[in-house]
Amino acid sequence: MADTRRRVKVYTLNEDRQWDDRGTGHVSSSYVERLKGMSLLVRAESDGSLLLESKINPNTAYQKQQDTLIVWSEAENYDLALSFQEKAGCDEIWEKICQVQGKDPSVDITQDLVDESEEERFDDMSSPGLELPPCELSRLEELAELVVTSLPSPLRREKLALALENEGYIKKLLELFHVCEDLENVEGLHHLYEIIKGIFLLNRTALFEVMFSEECIMDVIGCLEYDPSLSLPRKHREFLTKTAKFKEVIPISDPELKLKIHQTYRVQYIQDMVLPTPSVFEENMLSTLHSFIFFNKVEIVGMLQEDEKFLTELFAQLTDDGTDDDKRQELGMDDVQVRSAATDIFSYLVEYNPSMVREFVMQEAQQNDDDILLINLIIEHMICDPDPELGGAVQLMGLLRTLVDPENMLATANKTEKTEFLSFFYKHCMHVLTAPLLANTTEEKPSKGEPSPNNDDFQTAQLLALILELLTFCVEHHTYHIKNYIINKDILRRVLVLMGSKHAFVALCALRFMRKIIGLKDEFYNRYIMKAFLFEAVVKAFLNNGSRYNLLNSAIIEMFEFIRVEDVKSLTAHVIENYWKALEDVDYVQTFKGLKLRYEQQRERQDNPKLDSMRSILRNNRYRRDARTLEEEEEMWFNTDEDEMEDGESVLLTTDKSKNDDEIMDHFGKFMERKKLKEGDEKEVLTKSTLTGRQSPSFKLSFSSTSSGSSKSSLTSQSASTNSPGSPGSPGSPGSPGSIAKSTPHMAAITTKGGLIGLVDYPDDDEEEEEDSDEKEQSTPLTKKSRLGS
């Protein structure tokens, strides 16, 4: 496998100043005899052909960019770039280049002022400046060559810039430009193009001040019309003088301001339209030009702010109802621009300090009507957004969400911003936000007889989706305020009308809103949903969706699955009692059958309150024993090795095998007495157990004696059917580690202080129908694992 560190793409800059991909290969550096020096070689990864063979010239300026790009120029209009796949490969080749040129690899450009050769430094000290040739037609070619060759060296650029400044050379060149145009000297005009373009690349503010002056700028633009690469000259001056017109919508009295505006427009035009697209290497050489334009604009704004007459007249016309639309557009402030500017300003304020905005709007409410409150105006702009994609509305909705987010609200000792602002918002603003929702979900019913949105076009659907998104956020974060609003205004019922929308995303937004409410498991919400039969719209949407396996289908099933898993009893009963017939045939998921099972279990508990009461007692309580005795017996239990117990041995454990049957009966009698006392005296608390059952247990005691004289006993339930030898545990021996099967009675261990441990068997839920008057008595063995499970 080839080394990916050296994998590169080769790019060259074409005549249109665009980068062309010359192929992908692997780069290496080696000595090439033909070129008499170290060279960069790139061979194509496809066929091994040579994509690039470039000698590393000691005087060529190489530039490393973005850690994986090396750029350089080999000729006047021939720029090259290597784009590396990995940074490590770029660093290796960069070190080779710097080694040949004697540079430090830590630099990003090999030719810099601090890296000039010793010979150039000596020349700098011996000659204070660069001598320019006389500004004559016959010397233009020599001057053009001098400018081009000086550009790669920062030191020579500095010398050239100083010479041009000191000798007033630019104005002399522009005089020659007129001569060349009058004589139609095309060759001289081409040289002047190269000279003026090179002066731009010197990146000197002092030179720009001369070139962009009122007397010189049009001649500079004229020089740049004669690009040698073009067959015909451009007509930039004609466009600027005849096509582009300066119009004063409001008269500007300051002549200096006028001149600055003209200059800025023309320099911007030079940067955008006249100068050729700079190469990667030249981009940094025009930074001063960008700065010149920027600071000019800053100066213009400052001068306008100081002109009180101008601003007064401007705002007077903007606020005048008599100003027509054409005039407003001329003022540069049409409705779209005003809306955009206002949104940007409001966005900056909210992002910077939302608490300050909230404080302002609450103070505003004390003085103004709801219709002109800032937040309500924002909501109205959101609702009336003319953009079909609602780009502005999306931005404004995000700002509203920030304002109503309790996470960024402050709480102090004197006041709570959350309480105050949310009370204000729900009283003065929420009705404006929900107005489109309520207007589009009235009780009007179409011919099909089912509720549906009044206006279901795409733009309205998008707006309703945005509103629902914010309301869902409120349900999650506001709880009290939004709960009162939803229930009092019957909002959920209106939202669920949107389940009939032809736009799936709107139906999903409505469903998401209801799902967020159900997820709170709040009985106030649940009673509201059941009283209004709000599941009806969801069930209808589910049935209308048919067998299509889509997002709506999955989302609805997930909501009902949540109700089942979380055992939301009230909603479970409501769904089964009212919609089971519509849902009972859905068998590709077990959600609805699981809901039915939950419902039946609830009904069983309700139909057998005594059983439920007994089960609660047995589940939560046992009679209390001395804590030390309990700890000792538990310690003994866990210390007993399961392997010590034989398969045929009864699991009834005794700490003293000399106990006789009378003692066992005595202990059991005491247990029953304590159990009766518990019902009247809370001081006798039964210890906890995991037993469950549907009916009151009855007990029968049986005994068996071994030949050794040790007595073993067990307690079995009268309602339990005869068990197979392995029934109490997992298949196999009674000591298997499996959990008790569903059909196996749960066992409760009864331990007396004397050491006897008796086992009481309570019937399980599923054995209710198995109760028989002819039940047989049988000692049911219990393994150690089973006892732990109880």
Side-chain angles (χ1 to χ4, degrees):
M1 181 177 176
D3 187 0
T4 58
R5 292 183 307 168
R6 298 290 186 91
R7 191 167 184 262
V8 296
K9 276 186 175 293
V10 180
Y11 292 94
T12 60
L13 198 66
N14 60 28
E15 295 180 354
D16 297 327
R17 315 306 291 172
Q18 301 294 325
W19 287 104
D20 292 334
D21 186 353
R22 295 300 184 185
T24 304
H26 292 83
V27 64
S28 62
S29 60
S30 60
Y31 184 84
V32 177
E33 182 66 28
R34 181 175 60 83
L35 299 177
K36 304 296 182 182
M38 291 294 295
S39 303
L40 297 177
L41 305 175
V42 179
R43 295 193 177 275
E45 65 179 0
S46 57
D47 55 8
S49 61
L50 196 63
L51 295 178
L52 175 68
E53 186 181 59
S54 174
K55 180 182 177 180
I56 303 176
N57 194 315
N59 298 321
T60 299
Y62 291 84
Q63 188 175 7
K64 185 170 73 168
Q65 301 177 358
Q66 302 173 0
D67 293 332
T68 57
L69 194 66
I70 296 178
V71 183
W72 72 98
S73 297
E74 289 203 342
E76 173 62 20
N77 289 314
Y78 189 64
D79 292 353
L80 288 164
L82 293 179
S83 178
F84 289 77
Q85 179 173 328
E86 297 183 12
K87 178 180 181 296
C90 183
D91 291 340
E92 290 177 5
I93 296 300
W94 184 250
E95 289 179 5
K96 294 290 185 182
I97 294 172
C98 293
Q99 182 180 355
V100 172
Q101 295 196 342
K103 308 297 180 183
D104 185 352
S106 64
V107 301
D108 290 333
I109 183 170
T110 60
Q111 299 295 329
D112 200 79
L113 184 60
V114 296
D115 293 325
E116 296 293 332
S117 66
E118 292 296 328
E119 182 180 355
E120 289 177 319
R121 292 182 184 181
F122 180 78
D123 291 343
D124 180 40
M125 290 185 293
S126 60
S127 57
L130 185 68
E131 185 177 352
L132 298 174
C135 190
E136 300 173 356
L137 285 177
S138 59
R139 306 297 291 272
L140 285 178
E141 182 177 0
E142 180 184 349
L143 179 60
E145 185 177 354
L146 175 63
V147 172
V148 170
T149 55
S150 298
L151 290 176
S153 169
L155 180 59
R156 293 188 179 185
R157 290 203 306 270
E158 184 74 15
K159 289 180 179 180
L160 177 59
L162 289 174
L164 291 170
E165 292 174 25
N166 295 335
E167 300 180 18
Y169 212 85
I170 293 178
K171 291 185 178 181
K172 297 177 183 179
L173 287 173
L174 297 178
E175 291 175 2
L176 282 181
F177 168 69
H178 288 288
V179 174
C180 290
E181 272 205 318
D182 293 340
L183 298 175
E184 297 182 355
N185 185 345
V186 178
E187 184 179 358
L189 292 171
H190 287 170
H191 290 319
L192 283 167
Y193 172 88
E194 297 292 348
I195 294 169
I196 296 299
K197 177 189 172 185
I199 293 175
F200 270 96
L201 296 177
L202 292 177
N203 217 22
R204 297 278 293 196
T205 303
L207 296 178
F208 289 159
E209 293 288 352
V210 177
M211 297 169 68
F212 300 153
S213 64
E214 184 67 21
E215 58 179 320
C216 296
I217 189 168
M218 295 305 290
D219 291 337
V220 169
I221 294 173
C223 291
L224 294 174
E225 290 180 351
Y226 294 93
D227 187 346
S229 63
L230 301 176
S231 58
L232 294 174
R234 302 282 189 178
K235 296 183 178 181
H236 300 303
R237 287 172 294 175
E238 181 179 337
F239 172 81
L240 290 173
T241 56
K242 296 181 180 180
T243 305
K245 299 294 184 181
F246 178 66
K247 184 175 182 179
E248 295 181 70
V249 181
I250 296 176
I252 298 175
S253 57
D254 188 351
E256 185 180 353
L257 177 57
K258 280 186 180 181
L259 291 176
K260 188 64 68 175
I261 294 173
H262 286 307
Q263 183 191 59
T264 305
Y265 176 78
R266 291 165 181 169
V267 176
Q268 186 84 56
Y269 182 82
I270 291 174
Q271 177 186 262
D272 296 340
M273 304 300 299
V274 180
L275 286 177
T277 304
S279 66
V280 175
F281 186 69
E282 294 172 338
E283 184 68 32
N284 294 332
M285 295 184 175
L286 293 173
S287 59
T288 304
L289 179 61
H290 304 326
S291 299
F292 185 93
I293 296 171
F294 173 77
F295 287 112
N296 259 21
K297 292 179 179 179
V298 171
E299 191 173 352
I300 290 172
V301 173
M303 296 171 74
L304 287 173
Q305 286 180 329
E306 294 172 1
D307 191 341
E308 296 181 0
K309 184 177 180 180
F310 177 87
L311 291 178
T312 302
E313 181 65 22
L314 172 63
F315 286 107
Q317 294 192 31
L318 286 174
T319 56
D320 186 0
D321 294 336
T323 304
D324 57 30
D325 293 339
D326 293 337
K327 183 66 174 179
R328 289 184 183 277
Q329 284 192 329
E330 289 178 353
L331 290 169
M333 297 292 288
D334 59 13
D335 291 341
V336 175
Q337 291 173 318
V338 171
R339 187 190 302 270
S340 177
T343 301
D344 289 341
I345 294 172
F346 185 65
S347 174
Y348 297 144
L349 291 173
V350 171
E351 291 173 3
Y352 175 71
N353 193 340
S355 293
M356 178 185 68
V357 177
R358 284 191 283 261
E359 184 178 358
F360 169 78
V361 297
M362 285 190 290
Q363 292 176 353
E364 184 187 27
Q366 299 173 4
Q367 304 172 358
N368 300 322
D369 296 333
D370 288 357
D371 294 341
I372 60 174
L373 293 180
L374 176 61
I375 291 188
N376 287 342
L377 293 176
I378 295 297
I379 295 174
E380 288 176 6
H381 280 295
M382 179 192 75
I383 294 171
C384 302
D385 188 0
D387 181 8
E389 299 297 326
L390 297 184
V394 172
Q395 184 180 5
L396 291 173
M397 183 62 73
L399 297 176
L400 285 176
R401 179 169 175 164
T402 302
L403 287 176
V404 301
D405 188 356
E407 294 296 324
N408 60 48
M409 295 183 183
L410 304 176
T412 63
N414 299 327
K415 63 176 183 178
T416 303
E417 185 182 18
K418 175 181 177 181
T419 302
E420 292 184 359
F421 180 76
L422 291 184
S423 298
F424 157 81
F425 182 79
Y426 280 88
K427 180 179 180 181
H428 298 281
C429 306
M430 182 58 88
H431 66 282
V432 182
L433 178 65
T434 57
L437 174 66
L438 300 178
N440 284 277
T441 55
T442 59
E443 287 301 310
E444 297 178 6
K445 297 184 178 181
S447 57
K448 292 183 179 179
E450 298 179 5
S452 66
N454 298 350
N455 188 358
D456 211 15
D457 64 89
F458 182 74
Q459 188 169 353
T460 302
Q462 281 189 305
L463 176 62
L464 295 177
L466 284 176
I467 295 173
L468 284 175
E469 182 181 348
L470 185 59
L471 290 178
T472 304
F473 176 84
C474 294
V475 168
E476 182 177 4
H477 293 88
H478 295 174
T479 57
Y480 171 76
H481 294 86
I482 189 66
K483 183 196 303 182
N484 286 343
Y485 190 81
I486 289 174
I487 295 176
N488 292 335
K489 302 295 184 181
D490 200 13
I491 295 296
L492 180 56
R493 181 175 59 82
R494 304 293 285 271
V495 167
L496 290 176
V497 172
L498 298 176
M499 292 294 295
S501 172
K502 65 182 179 182
H503 302 286
F505 69 91
V506 178
L508 288 169
C509 285
L511 183 64
R512 190 183 304 117
F513 180 71
M514 185 177 188
R515 173 65 176 82
K516 186 66 69 175
I517 290 175
I518 290 176
L520 297 176
K521 296 191 289 186
D522 188 317
E523 282 303 312
F524 284 99
Y525 276 131
N526 293 347
R527 286 194 291 270
Y528 162 61
I529 291 172
M530 293 184 295
K531 184 177 180 181
F533 294 92
L534 298 182
F535 275 107
E536 182 177 351
V538 178
V539 173
K540 283 184 177 180
F542 180 72
L543 297 176
N544 291 338
N545 191 62
S547 60
R548 284 174 289 182
Y549 179 55
N550 52 21
L551 190 56
L552 182 63
N553 173 273
S554 299
I556 293 175
I557 291 175
E558 189 278 333
M559 185 172 70
F560 286 110
E561 181 69 12
F562 175 84
I563 296 172
R564 185 192 70 82
V565 171
E566 296 296 324
D567 195 16
V568 186
K569 295 180 174 57
S570 57
L571 295 184
T572 299
H574 176 75
V575 170
I576 297 302
E577 290 173 358
N578 293 279
Y579 308 107
W580 171 244
K581 290 185 178 180
L583 300 172
E584 63 179 340
D585 294 333
V586 179
D587 55 3
Y588 55 87
V589 291
Q590 297 303 309
T591 297
F592 301 107
K593 288 181 171 57
L595 271 177
K596 182 71 180 311
L597 180 61
R598 288 279 192 190
Y599 172 73
E600 291 173 348
Q601 291 172 348
Q602 293 176 25
R603 291 296 301 272
E604 289 175 0
R605 295 189 184 99
Q606 294 172 1
D607 295 342
N608 298 276
K610 293 182 179 180
L611 174 63
D612 194 61
S613 175
M614 175 61 71
R615 183 175 63 255
S616 176
I617 293 173
L618 295 175
R619 181 188 304 116
N620 298 321
N621 301 290
R622 283 184 186 172
Y623 65 90
R624 178 171 294 171
R625 291 176 294 154
D626 182 70
R628 288 181 302 170
T629 303
L630 180 62
E631 292 176 358
E632 291 173 1
E633 293 172 354
E634 287 181 347
E635 183 70 21
M636 180 186 68
W637 173 262
F638 285 106
N639 287 337
T640 303
D641 192 350
E642 186 175 358
D643 296 331
E644 295 176 1
M645 295 167 29
E646 299 178 0
D647 292 346
E649 182 181 3
S650 171
V651 187
L652 178 64
L653 302 178
T654 62
T655 57
D656 186 359
K657 294 185 178 181
S658 63
K659 298 287 183 182
N660 55 31
D661 294 348
D662 293 335
E663 290 175 322
I664 296 174
M665 286 296 296
D666 182 54
H667 285 302
F668 181 69
K670 291 180 179 180
F671 161 72
M672 296 303 294
E673 289 178 2
R674 292 177 182 177
K675 182 175 183 302
K676 293 178 180 179
L677 290 174
K678 166 63 181 65
E679 297 176 357
D681 187 0
E682 289 296 330
K683 293 183 179 180
E684 294 294 334
V685 182
L686 299 177
T687 57
K688 292 184 178 180
S689 172
T690 59
L691 297 177
T692 59
R694 297 296 182 192
Q695 59 187 27
S696 301
S698 57
F699 306 101
K700 180 175 286 186
L701 188 65
S702 64
F703 303 96
S704 62
S705 300
T706 62
S707 60
S708 61
S710 61
S711 60
K712 301 182 180 180
S713 64
S714 64
L715 298 172
T716 60
S717 169
Q718 288 182 349
S719 62
S721 59
T722 302
N723 296 321
S724 61
S727 61
S730 300
S733 68
S736 65
S739 60
I740 299 176
K742 189 172 183 179
S743 61
T744 304
H746 292 287
M747 300 294 183
I750 306 173
T751 308
T752 64
K753 188 171 183 179
L756 177 64
I757 302 178
L759 304 179
V760 181
D761 180 7
Y762 298 105
D764 190 65
D765 297 346
D766 297 329
E767 294 180 354
E768 293 177 4
E769 298 178 359
E770 297 179 5
E771 186 171 359
D772 195 320
S773 60
D774 298 331
E775 290 174 318
K776 298 180 180 179
E777 299 176 11
Q778 178 176 350
S779 296
T780 306
L782 179 69
T783 66
K784 183 195 315 184
K785 295 294 178 70
S786 299
R787 184 175 183 269
L788 290 175
S790 67

